[in-house]
Amino acid sequence: MDRPRRCAVVDDSRVVLDLMRVLLSQGGWEVATHSELAGLELQLRAWAPDVVLLDVGMPGASTETLRQRVVLLRVSTGAKIVLHSARDPEALAQLAERSGADGALVKSGDHAAVLAALDRIVQPRA
C-alpha cells in the first residue's frame, strides 16, 4: 500500500503548527511540523514530503531570501513549495509568483478550503 501524502508545515507559531497537524491528519495526510529554518532542508530531505507549507513571516527570513529558500527546499526535497501566510491573498499570490513557489495558501479557519487547495497542488493517491 502506498504511503499517505506528506506535508511539512513550517511556521513559528505553535498554534498554527498544532492546528495544521490536526487538520491535515484528519484529511489523510502524514504531517511533520517545523518551527525553525535552521537545518530544515536536511531534515526534510530524509522525510521526503510531497508539499512544504512555508510561513513567509518566519524569524530570520526575508522576502529577499525567500526565493533562495524556495529553490533550496525544492531541490533538497523534490516537494511542491506553497507559501503560507495571513497576508492579503492577492499580495501573497504575487509573492509566491516572484519567489517561484508552486502556490500560496492563506491561513484561515476554512478547513475545507485548505484541504481542497492542497488536493489541487498534490493529487490524492489512488
Side-chain angles (χ1 to χ4, degrees), residues 8-108:
V9 182
V10 183
D11 203 295
D12 60 322
S13 167
R14 177 54 51 196
V15 171
V16 170
L17 292 175
D18 290 345
L19 176 65
M20 293 304 292
R21 178 190 310 276
V22 169
L23 169 65
L24 293 170
S25 294
Q26 289 175 347
W29 290 79
E30 192 173 330
V31 182
T33 59
H34 301 271
S35 59
E36 295 183 17
L37 294 174
L40 182 63
E41 289 84 8
L42 287 175
Q43 293 171 20
L44 292 181
R45 178 184 296 164
W47 192 63
D50 297 298
V51 64
V52 177
L53 281 181
L54 179 62
D55 177 24
V56 299
M58 294 285 294
S62 67
T63 55
E64 293 81 31
T65 61
L66 186 58
R67 182 161 179 72
Q68 287 179 313
R69 176 71 57 189
V70 167
V71 169
L72 283 171
L73 283 168
R74 185 176 293 119
V75 168
S76 64
T77 66
K80 301 278 187 177
I81 311 301
V82 177
L83 301 187
H84 195 219
S85 176
R87 294 182 184 192
D88 171 74
E90 189 173 314
L92 184 59
Q94 290 173 358
L95 184 58
E97 187 174 326
R98 285 195 313 271
S99 69
D102 297 291
L105 184 59
V106 175
K107 294 177 184 177
S108 77

